[in-house]
Amino acid sequence: MAQIVAATTNQKKLVELRKLLSSQEVEVIGLDRYKNYPDIEENGVSFEENASIKALAANRYTDLPAFADDSGLCVEALNGEPGIHSSRYAENDQERIAKLLNALDGQANRRAKFVCAIAIAFNGEVIETFVGEIHGVIGDAPRGANGFGYDPIFIPDGYDKTFAELPSDIKDQISHRAVAVKAAVQFVEDEMAACFNDFN
Ligand code: IMP
């Protein structure tokens, strides 16, 4: 069976990718398979650049076609921050949320979006990147226990609940990650079947 490496050790992301690629004759391999995989510095200035850095590194290390993603929350009133710094914004999810709510204290504009970029690398080159977004607003206080990260304060447009209050199957259908992954899977189906056949 053809193989693709997903540049992550996050089991939730691997499960999601395997589900989305289940109609394909493709085995999705995680980086946990490679015990000596080096730390890769994410020093890009955009989500696409960071996803590309991770995909290229995984492709070069494993010699397999590689997928990588990079994501974060961009808040309009904070000039797009925390953006690519979302995971480094504070020590843990609770502190990240508190810091963001504090930064927005008294701010009327609470518009924000989640962004996810996915890059696919093959034969030492990034061959395509995909970006998914979901727009919404930042709530006044954290609500809900589902999901992770900034989910308790993000209310997607068209809903009155936060991502952490919505059932996970709704988030999985509409999220920035779902949009980007679907586009990437479509590309793999349309364009990469031949690569896999040649390669594996
Ligand atoms: P990474 O792409 O896994 O490095 O995620 C970057 C950071 O953005 C995460 O640590 C979260 O803080 C935030 N983030 C990305 N996607 C989501 C999401 O779907 N919900 C909540 N937070 C997210």
Side-chain angles (χ1 to χ4, degrees):
M1 193 192 284
Q3 294 181 319
I4 189 165
V5 65
T8 183
T9 52
N10 179 328
Q11 292 303 315
K12 279 190 183 170
K13 283 187 187 168
L14 286 170
V15 167
E16 183 177 301
L17 268 177
R18 288 185 179 124
K19 209 159 61 181
L20 283 155
L21 282 165
S22 59
S23 63
Q24 303 298 302
E25 290 284 300
V26 176
E27 183 191 358
V28 179
I29 296 173
L31 286 180
D32 44 342
R33 180 84 65 93
Y34 300 88
K35 298 293 170 223
N36 298 318
Y37 194 80
D39 261 350
I40 304 297
E41 197 189 348
E42 292 175 36
N43 54 7
V45 297
S46 65
F47 294 110
E48 289 99 315
E49 241 186 89
N50 280 336
S52 298
I53 288 167
K54 289 187 260 187
L56 204 51
N59 170 238
R60 289 187 172 150
Y61 190 86
T62 65
D63 261 346
L64 292 171
F67 251 68
D69 77 338
D70 195 55
S71 56
L73 178 67
C74 304
V75 179
E76 228 174 68
L78 304 178
N79 298 318
E81 286 294 309
I84 58 168
H85 308 113
S86 291
S87 57
R88 291 164 269 171
Y89 194 52
E91 280 287 300
N92 56 47
D93 283 347
Q94 212 183 338
E95 287 179 22
R96 284 187 270 273
I97 286 175
K99 183 172 173 184
L100 191 61
L101 289 177
N102 200 33
L104 283 181
D105 195 26
Q107 179 57 252
N109 178 7
R110 304 190 72 88
R111 300 287 309 156
K113 64 179 178 182
F114 272 122
V115 181
C116 174
I118 288 183
I120 299 179
F122 185 65
N123 279 347
E125 269 177 67
V126 173
I127 55 171
E128 201 63 72
T129 58
F130 308 88
V131 179
E133 295 187 349
I134 178 151
H135 294 246
V137 292
I138 302 298
D140 294 327
R143 293 196 325 244
N146 298 332
F148 70 101
Y150 299 90
D151 280 347
I153 53 167
F154 183 79
I155 303 165
D157 287 348
Y159 295 82
D160 57 8
K161 290 185 160 62
T162 68
F163 258 172
E165 291 176 304
L166 287 168
S168 63
D169 58 324
I170 294 190
K171 182 186 171 191
D172 290 348
Q173 282 168 36
I174 64 172
S175 79
H176 49 311
R177 193 165 296 101
V179 173
V181 168
K182 277 178 201 156
V185 168
Q186 190 66 50
F187 176 81
V188 169
E189 286 177 1
D190 294 348
E191 312 279 340
M192 288 195 73
C195 300
F196 285 141
N197 292 339
D198 290 349
F199 190 79
N200 283 272

